[in-house]
């Protein structure tokens, strides 16, 4: 089992950058693929980015490709998402997710992720 705690959210202006962190507790963090999702008011939770257990496989939503970068530090039990060139439409609660058995083909689907954090709010003002 793994517990996830997100941090790094806040209020920023459009065009600026922000880095979110997700700290995992529990054993064998490096066994888990990690993902970031987001949910804006009135909308469904959507995929943002994901990374496999050792970082050699990543995937991104088309809406963030080229602007966001996901990475992980297994020694620190932490996964990050660096968000550059932020837009007002990036405003959402950002959630971290983890799963031990998920395949890349299923990264985009919330139902395939077993563990979730509580979320951190990102607000981008235009």
């Amino acid at each position: 089992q793994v517990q996830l705690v997100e941090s790094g959210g806040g209020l920023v202006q459009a065009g600026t950058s922000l880095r979110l962190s997700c700290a995992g507790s529990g054993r064998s963090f490096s066994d888990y693929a990690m993902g970031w999702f987001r949910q804006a008011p009135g909308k469904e939770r959507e995929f943002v980015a994901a990374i496999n257990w050792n970082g050699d496989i990543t995937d991104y939503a088309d809406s963030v490709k080229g602007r966001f970068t996901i990475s992980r530090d297994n020694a620190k039990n932490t996964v990050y998402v660096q968000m550059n060139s932020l837009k007002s439409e990036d405003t959402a609660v950002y959630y971290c997710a983890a799963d031990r058995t998920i395949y890349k083909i299923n990264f985009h689907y919330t139902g395939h992720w077993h563990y979730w954090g509580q979320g951190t709010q990102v607000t981008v003002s235009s």
Side-chain angles (χ1 to χ4, degrees), residues 103-109:
Y103 290 99
K104 180 180 178 181
I105 193 173
N106 292 319
F107 276 178
H108 291 229
Y109 305 105

Side-chain angles (χ1 to χ4, degrees), residues 6-72:
E6 302 94 338
S7 62
L11 172 63
V12 296
Q13 291 190 335
T16 62
S17 299
L18 202 60
R19 188 178 80 159
L20 305 183
S21 301
C22 172
S25 62
R27 297 189 299 177
S28 304
F29 176 83
S30 61
D31 289 349
Y32 291 80
M34 302 297 297
W36 285 98
F37 287 74
R38 66 187 182 187
Q39 188 166 17
K43 295 188 176 181
E44 293 187 353
R45 192 170 298 190
E46 66 174 7
F47 172 76
V48 174
I51 189 167
N52 75 324
W53 69 276
N54 68 353
D56 65 355
I57 297 174
T58 58
D59 194 16
Y60 296 91
D62 289 342
S63 59
V64 307
K65 205 169 290 184
R67 299 188 298 123
F68 289 15
T69 302
I70 190 171
S71 62
R72 67 188 297 159

